Amino acid sequence: MVVARETIELTYLAVIQLLPPRQRAVVILRDVLGWSAAEAASLLDMTVAAANSALQRARATLRERLPARPSEWSGSEPSDDERLLLERFIAAHERADAAAAAALAREDIRITMPPHPWCFEGLAAIRPLLEQGLTEPGEWRLLPTWANRQPTAASYLRAPGETEFRAFKLDVLRVEGGRIAEITTFDASLFPAFGLPPTL
């Protein structure tokens, strides 16, 4: 089994979104819910051989993308360097400073937004997103937190004409070499799980 049910974390949920729908369904049925190959195949209207093949491909993708040990997925706070990078990320966003935000990223940065299939790769691809996203929707306030041993920013947006900052998104940052290598963005539905308020 790739992952025990009690260890499912944001990292796993993010990576599993990369799988094709059939593979995703098979791995959830087999490795999360513990169904047999025959049960999974029957539900998905597949042969047992096809279900087993889909499971093998899904597991290979998960092993490639997930940390080697589930203990690395959660439970510890970021390092001092990660904290500093998160502080700079938050400051750049609250100032609506797209250039400063881009300066924190690696050239090969990758941004995903599960469960949506959107994927942006490379600094050139994300610069327009930063410039538009930091200035057009309204005013931002961000709170530092962490998920899966990764620095995370909880973003609140005050849209024009509103008085409150409302929960908007969580950005989970993967840091390599002192720069942001990947951002996985989740919507505000996860705020209660982090004990975060709906408004500021």
Side-chain angles (χ1 to χ4, degrees):
M1 186 177 289
V2 174
V3 59
R5 273 172 279 185
E6 64 272 15
T7 65
I8 296 173
E9 299 287 347
L10 288 180
T11 299
Y12 183 80
L13 294 175
V15 170
I16 205 169
Q17 299 296 328
L18 302 176
L19 299 174
R22 278 287 173 101
Q23 290 183 30
R24 188 185 316 148
V26 170
V27 82
I28 289 172
L29 291 172
R30 295 292 310 280
D31 286 352
V32 176
L33 299 178
W35 286 28
S36 70
E39 290 171 325
S42 176
L43 179 71
L44 298 173
D45 196 24
M46 306 169 69
T47 65
V48 171
N52 284 335
S53 177
L55 180 63
Q56 288 175 348
R57 293 193 303 274
R59 284 175 171 171
T61 299
L62 292 174
R63 287 190 186 103
E64 179 184 321
R65 297 300 304 273
L66 287 170
R69 295 181 298 278
S71 62
E72 294 180 353
W73 300 359
S74 63
S76 298
E77 298 181 17
S79 68
D80 289 341
D81 288 344
E82 289 172 323
R83 281 185 190 281
L84 179 59
L85 188 65
L86 180 59
E87 288 174 10
R88 293 170 62 198
F89 179 87
I90 288 173
H93 282 69
E94 291 186 343
R95 292 193 317 266
D97 188 340
L104 302 175
R106 290 170 48 113
E107 285 292 332
D108 60 350
I109 186 172
R110 183 172 190 270
I111 297 179
T112 56
M113 304 174 185
H116 304 292
W118 307 321
C119 178
F120 303 92
E121 299 196 57
L123 197 50
I126 73 159
R127 282 185 197 277
L129 293 176
L130 289 172
E131 291 168 4
Q132 182 179 22
L134 293 184
T135 58
E136 292 185 8
E139 188 179 356
W140 294 99
R141 288 291 176 268
L142 282 69
L143 297 178
T145 185
W146 54 88
N148 311 310
R149 296 188 67 216
Q150 294 175 304
T152 300
S155 296
Y156 292 79
L157 175 66
R158 183 168 66 187
E162 295 192 354
T163 59
E164 292 182 316
F165 289 88
R166 300 183 186 278
F168 191 81
K169 65 186 173 85
L170 283 171
D171 288 322
V172 182
L173 313 181
R174 182 168 62 82
V175 178
E176 287 184 9
R179 295 284 182 92
I180 300 170
E182 187 168 6
I183 301 175
T184 306
T185 300
F186 297 90
D187 67 25
S189 63
L190 290 173
F191 275 53
F194 286 80
L196 293 165
T199 59
L200 294 180

